Amino acid sequence: MNKTEYKEASVTGLRTSDYFFELPEELIAQDPLTDRSSSRLLLLDRKNGKTEHKIFKNITEYLKPGDCLVLNNTKVIPARLLGVKEDTAASVEVLLLKRRTDDIWETLVKPGKKLKPGARMVFGDGLLKAEVLEIVEEGNRLVKFYYEGIWEEVLDKLGEMPLPPYITHKLQDKNRYQTVYAKYEGSAAAPTAGLHFTNELLKQITNKGISLAYVTLHVGLGTFRPVKVDNVLEHHMHTEYYQVSQEAADIINETKQKGGRVICVGTTSCRTIESAADEHGLLSECCGNTDIFIYPGYRFKVLDGLITNFHLPESTLVMLVSAFAGRNHVLQAYEEAIKEKYRFFSFGDAMFIADFD
């Protein structure tokens, strides 16, 4: 569907301001719950907008034998490095965004004005050193790192989890910003809808006859980038790398063929399968970069249900959810969640959106 077709399909909901809502700051979850699956769950019927309030571990009651859950098995790297400028000992911060070659990364740096090409930095009392090579798109820096040993071990020792800007508390356990099924390193942010699942809950789900299909999308910091234009059509979507195995494609295709529901855990899983599917909704083994932007008017090729957290006002994620469930239904559900004091964003509560009979 091109932008003209989008416009014809949905005239309302094409302004960023159409997705604004007031969120009390105290509802932004700062810490993960002790029990991942004890978060609250809001059920939203996408047909009529009806809602119910449950606990996340109750989700098994609303999944049917023959359904398929699509999960993003990306793994967050401890991408935040705190160090000093070599010549002045001034504090610096480097956020790893994308690996260009073995030891050269595209990064976001602070303070940007003082980290020009040629600037050198030191981390962990010299365990890791770095040099700014050049300034690239959007002011990001290409940085080359110098170290002895294995990069992953050095990074694990010195790096911190790159928590979103709205989380101000320090994370005590790095693993709480990982899903229990995280496997392939490459994300600068977690696919947070998956944080609610425990290994025990996943076992209950498979025992009920529900398939699990694992795909990979490495989440970039662009997921937190605000939409700065009021016309949704003018927003430039960030690019992220994804991969779909033949095994995952087969599971999803078979689910559709047999009349089961394909339920994505998180917007990243949704963007992956919608990017990978052909015009008939069929998937095959593939990988690449996607900048798919889903907003009202989009016609879903694969998705039948969505498990997702509560997102930022005026974000591309709220627009995606609205494309699936309808903007009015979503905003009314958010209003109800705020009234009921649900916890919002990365460490917050969840929604399950589907057609509930």
PDB file of all heavy atoms in Angstrom, residues 237-254:
ATOM      1  N   MET A 237      11.016   6.919   9.047  1.00  0.00           N
ATOM      2  CA  MET A 237      11.127   5.776   9.955  1.00  0.00           C
ATOM      3  C   MET A 237      12.562   5.268   9.997  1.00  0.00           C
ATOM      4  O   MET A 237      13.264   5.237   8.981  1.00  0.00           O
ATOM      5  CB  MET A 237      10.182   4.654   9.490  1.00  0.00           C
ATOM      6  CG  MET A 237       9.953   3.573  10.519  1.00  0.00           C
ATOM      7  SD  MET A 237       9.021   4.188  11.944  1.00  0.00           S
ATOM      8  CE  MET A 237       8.769   2.645  12.843  1.00  0.00           C
ATOM      9  N   HIS A 238      13.000   4.855  11.183  1.00  0.00           N
ATOM     10  CA  HIS A 238      14.347   4.302  11.351  1.00  0.00           C
ATOM     11  C   HIS A 238      14.427   2.895  10.738  1.00  0.00           C
ATOM     12  O   HIS A 238      13.417   2.233  10.537  1.00  0.00           O
ATOM     13  CB  HIS A 238      14.702   4.242  12.832  1.00  0.00           C
ATOM     14  CG  HIS A 238      13.736   3.433  13.655  1.00  0.00           C
ATOM     15  ND1 HIS A 238      12.468   3.888  13.998  1.00  0.00           N
ATOM     16  CD2 HIS A 238      13.831   2.197  14.198  1.00  0.00           C
ATOM     17  CE1 HIS A 238      11.845   2.965  14.713  1.00  0.00           C
ATOM     18  NE2 HIS A 238      12.643   1.929  14.847  1.00  0.00           N
ATOM     19  N   THR A 239      15.643   2.449  10.462  1.00  0.00           N
ATOM     20  CA  THR A 239      15.870   1.136   9.853  1.00  0.00           C
ATOM     21  C   THR A 239      16.417   0.161  10.888  1.00  0.00           C
ATOM     22  O   THR A 239      17.262   0.525  11.712  1.00  0.00           O
ATOM     23  CB  THR A 239      16.874   1.256   8.692  1.00  0.00           C
ATOM     24  OG1 THR A 239      16.322   2.127   7.706  1.00  0.00           O
ATOM     25  CG2 THR A 239      17.143  -0.099   8.053  1.00  0.00           C
ATOM     26  N   GLU A 240      15.931  -1.075  10.846  1.00  0.00           N
ATOM     27  CA  GLU A 240      16.395  -2.114  11.768  1.00  0.00           C
ATOM     28  C   GLU A 240      16.600  -3.426  11.005  1.00  0.00           C
ATOM     29  O   GLU A 240      15.869  -3.723  10.060  1.00  0.00           O
ATOM     30  CB  GLU A 240      15.391  -2.308  12.907  1.00  0.00           C
ATOM     31  CG  GLU A 240      15.293  -1.093  13.830  1.00  0.00           C
ATOM     32  CD  GLU A 240      14.086  -1.135  14.755  1.00  0.00           C
ATOM     33  OE1 GLU A 240      13.002  -1.558  14.305  1.00  0.00           O
ATOM     34  OE2 GLU A 240      14.215  -0.744  15.916  1.00  0.00           O
ATOM     35  N   TYR A 241      17.585  -4.192  11.451  1.00  0.00           N
ATOM     36  CA  TYR A 241      17.898  -5.469  10.803  1.00  0.00           C
ATOM     37  C   TYR A 241      16.981  -6.570  11.348  1.00  0.00           C
ATOM     38  O   TYR A 241      16.746  -6.660  12.560  1.00  0.00           O
ATOM     39  CB  TYR A 241      19.357  -5.846  11.066  1.00  0.00           C
ATOM     40  CG  TYR A 241      19.732  -7.216  10.527  1.00  0.00           C
ATOM     41  CD1 TYR A 241      20.050  -7.380   9.185  1.00  0.00           C
ATOM     42  CD2 TYR A 241      19.737  -8.331  11.357  1.00  0.00           C
ATOM     43  CE1 TYR A 241      20.370  -8.633   8.680  1.00  0.00           C
ATOM     44  CE2 TYR A 241      20.063  -9.591  10.865  1.00  0.00           C
ATOM     45  CZ  TYR A 241      20.378  -9.741   9.534  1.00  0.00           C
ATOM     46  OH  TYR A 241      20.695 -10.985   9.038  1.00  0.00           O
ATOM     47  N   TYR A 242      16.473  -7.410  10.437  1.00  0.00           N
ATOM     48  CA  TYR A 242      15.627  -8.533  10.860  1.00  0.00           C
ATOM     49  C   TYR A 242      16.038  -9.810  10.155  1.00  0.00           C
ATOM     50  O   TYR A 242      16.699  -9.792   9.108  1.00  0.00           O
ATOM     51  CB  TYR A 242      14.147  -8.238  10.577  1.00  0.00           C
ATOM     52  CG  TYR A 242      13.766  -8.311   9.112  1.00  0.00           C
ATOM     53  CD1 TYR A 242      13.294  -9.503   8.561  1.00  0.00           C
ATOM     54  CD2 TYR A 242      13.892  -7.201   8.276  1.00  0.00           C
ATOM     55  CE1 TYR A 242      12.956  -9.576   7.211  1.00  0.00           C
ATOM     56  CE2 TYR A 242      13.557  -7.270   6.943  1.00  0.00           C
ATOM     57  CZ  TYR A 242      13.089  -8.462   6.415  1.00  0.00           C
ATOM     58  OH  TYR A 242      12.769  -8.553   5.082  1.00  0.00           O
ATOM     59  N   GLN A 243      15.618 -10.923  10.728  1.00  0.00           N
ATOM     60  CA  GLN A 243      15.907 -12.236  10.140  1.00  0.00           C
ATOM     61  C   GLN A 243      14.779 -13.203  10.486  1.00  0.00           C
ATOM     62  O   GLN A 243      14.315 -13.242  11.637  1.00  0.00           O
ATOM     63  CB  GLN A 243      17.245 -12.768  10.670  1.00  0.00           C
ATOM     64  CG  GLN A 243      17.705 -14.054   9.990  1.00  0.00           C
ATOM     65  CD  GLN A 243      19.158 -14.383  10.323  1.00  0.00           C
ATOM     66  OE1 GLN A 243      19.807 -13.670  11.091  1.00  0.00           O
ATOM     67  NE2 GLN A 243      19.664 -15.445   9.762  1.00  0.00           N
ATOM     68  N   VAL A 244      14.337 -13.947   9.492  1.00  0.00           N
ATOM     69  CA  VAL A 244      13.307 -14.979   9.669  1.00  0.00           C
ATOM     70  C   VAL A 244      13.883 -16.292   9.168  1.00  0.00           C
ATOM     71  O   VAL A 244      14.292 -16.389   8.009  1.00  0.00           O
ATOM     72  CB  VAL A 244      12.011 -14.635   8.904  1.00  0.00           C
ATOM     73  CG1 VAL A 244      10.984 -15.757   9.053  1.00  0.00           C
ATOM     74  CG2 VAL A 244      11.431 -13.313   9.391  1.00  0.00           C
ATOM     75  N   SER A 245      13.930 -17.296  10.024  1.00  0.00           N
ATOM     76  CA  SER A 245      14.441 -18.614   9.625  1.00  0.00           C
ATOM     77  C   SER A 245      13.368 -19.373   8.863  1.00  0.00           C
ATOM     78  O   SER A 245      12.179 -19.055   8.941  1.00  0.00           O
ATOM     79  CB  SER A 245      14.856 -19.413  10.864  1.00  0.00           C
ATOM     80  OG  SER A 245      13.711 -19.733  11.647  1.00  0.00           O
ATOM     81  N   GLN A 246      13.790 -20.396   8.143  1.00  0.00           N
ATOM     82  CA  GLN A 246      12.822 -21.225   7.423  1.00  0.00           C
ATOM     83  C   GLN A 246      11.890 -21.935   8.403  1.00  0.00           C
ATOM     84  O   GLN A 246      10.695 -22.089   8.144  1.00  0.00           O
ATOM     85  CB  GLN A 246      13.550 -22.258   6.548  1.00  0.00           C
ATOM     86  CG  GLN A 246      12.620 -23.009   5.591  1.00  0.00           C
ATOM     87  CD  GLN A 246      11.902 -22.076   4.617  1.00  0.00           C
ATOM     88  OE1 GLN A 246      12.544 -21.299   3.916  1.00  0.00           O
ATOM     89  NE2 GLN A 246      10.572 -22.133   4.581  1.00  0.00           N
ATOM     90  N   GLU A 247      12.443 -22.330   9.552  1.00  0.00           N
ATOM     91  CA  GLU A 247      11.633 -23.000  10.577  1.00  0.00           C
ATOM     92  C   GLU A 247      10.508 -22.094  11.061  1.00  0.00           C
ATOM     93  O   GLU A 247       9.349 -22.514  11.149  1.00  0.00           O
ATOM     94  CB  GLU A 247      12.513 -23.416  11.759  1.00  0.00           C
ATOM     95  CG  GLU A 247      11.732 -24.091  12.874  1.00  0.00           C
ATOM     96  CD  GLU A 247      12.584 -24.396  14.106  1.00  0.00           C
ATOM     97  OE1 GLU A 247      13.748 -23.937  14.154  1.00  0.00           O
ATOM     98  OE2 GLU A 247      12.082 -25.077  15.016  1.00  0.00           O
ATOM     99  N   ALA A 248      10.841 -20.835  11.363  1.00  0.00           N
ATOM    100  CA  ALA A 248       9.815 -19.888  11.826  1.00  0.00           C
ATOM    101  C   ALA A 248       8.783 -19.632  10.732  1.00  0.00           C
ATOM    102  O   ALA A 248       7.573 -19.587  10.994  1.00  0.00           O
ATOM    103  CB  ALA A 248      10.474 -18.578  12.259  1.00  0.00           C
ATOM    104  N   ALA A 249       9.255 -19.472   9.493  1.00  0.00           N
ATOM    105  CA  ALA A 249       8.346 -19.237   8.367  1.00  0.00           C
ATOM    106  C   ALA A 249       7.371 -20.401   8.208  1.00  0.00           C
ATOM    107  O   ALA A 249       6.161 -20.187   8.014  1.00  0.00           O
ATOM    108  CB  ALA A 249       9.149 -19.038   7.081  1.00  0.00           C
ATOM    109  N   ASP A 250       7.888 -21.614   8.321  1.00  0.00           N
ATOM    110  CA  ASP A 250       7.036 -22.804   8.174  1.00  0.00           C
ATOM    111  C   ASP A 250       5.967 -22.870   9.271  1.00  0.00           C
ATOM    112  O   ASP A 250       4.804 -23.192   9.005  1.00  0.00           O
ATOM    113  CB  ASP A 250       7.888 -24.077   8.210  1.00  0.00           C
ATOM    114  CG  ASP A 250       8.748 -24.241   6.964  1.00  0.00           C
ATOM    115  OD1 ASP A 250       8.464 -23.577   5.950  1.00  0.00           O
ATOM    116  OD2 ASP A 250       9.715 -25.033   7.012  1.00  0.00           O
ATOM    117  N   ILE A 251       6.376 -22.563  10.510  1.00  0.00           N
ATOM    118  CA  ILE A 251       5.431 -22.611  11.629  1.00  0.00           C
ATOM    119  C   ILE A 251       4.310 -21.590  11.424  1.00  0.00           C
ATOM    120  O   ILE A 251       3.121 -21.903  11.599  1.00  0.00           O
ATOM    121  CB  ILE A 251       6.158 -22.346  12.963  1.00  0.00           C
ATOM    122  CG1 ILE A 251       7.111 -23.498  13.295  1.00  0.00           C
ATOM    123  CG2 ILE A 251       5.146 -22.155  14.101  1.00  0.00           C
ATOM    124  CD1 ILE A 251       8.037 -23.217  14.468  1.00  0.00           C
ATOM    125  N   ILE A 252       4.670 -20.382  11.024  1.00  0.00           N
ATOM    126  CA  ILE A 252       3.681 -19.319  10.830  1.00  0.00           C
ATOM    127  C   ILE A 252       2.762 -19.644   9.649  1.00  0.00           C
ATOM    128  O   ILE A 252       1.533 -19.517   9.744  1.00  0.00           O
ATOM    129  CB  ILE A 252       4.387 -17.961  10.623  1.00  0.00           C
ATOM    130  CG1 ILE A 252       5.121 -17.554  11.907  1.00  0.00           C
ATOM    131  CG2 ILE A 252       3.381 -16.880  10.207  1.00  0.00           C
ATOM    132  CD1 ILE A 252       6.087 -16.400  11.725  1.00  0.00           C
ATOM    133  N   ASN A 253       3.354 -20.090   8.543  1.00  0.00           N
ATOM    134  CA  ASN A 253       2.537 -20.437   7.367  1.00  0.00           C
ATOM    135  C   ASN A 253       1.569 -21.566   7.676  1.00  0.00           C
ATOM    136  O   ASN A 253       0.393 -21.522   7.282  1.00  0.00           O
ATOM    137  CB  ASN A 253       3.444 -20.845   6.199  1.00  0.00           C
ATOM    138  CG  ASN A 253       4.241 -19.677   5.635  1.00  0.00           C
ATOM    139  OD1 ASN A 253       3.880 -18.524   5.817  1.00  0.00           O
ATOM    140  ND2 ASN A 253       5.335 -19.978   4.943  1.00  0.00           N
ATOM    141  N   GLU A 254       2.037 -22.570   8.396  1.00  0.00           N
ATOM    142  CA  GLU A 254       1.185 -23.723   8.722  1.00  0.00           C
ATOM    143  C   GLU A 254       0.046 -23.302   9.648  1.00  0.00           C
ATOM    144  O   GLU A 254      -1.084 -23.777   9.507  1.00  0.00           O
ATOM    145  CB  GLU A 254       2.033 -24.823   9.379  1.00  0.00           C
ATOM    146  CG  GLU A 254       1.253 -26.108   9.626  1.00  0.00           C
ATOM    147  CD  GLU A 254       2.117 -27.216  10.202  1.00  0.00           C
ATOM    148  OE1 GLU A 254       3.356 -27.085  10.205  1.00  0.00           O
ATOM    149  OE2 GLU A 254       1.536 -28.228  10.667  1.00  0.00           O
TER     150      GLU A 254
END
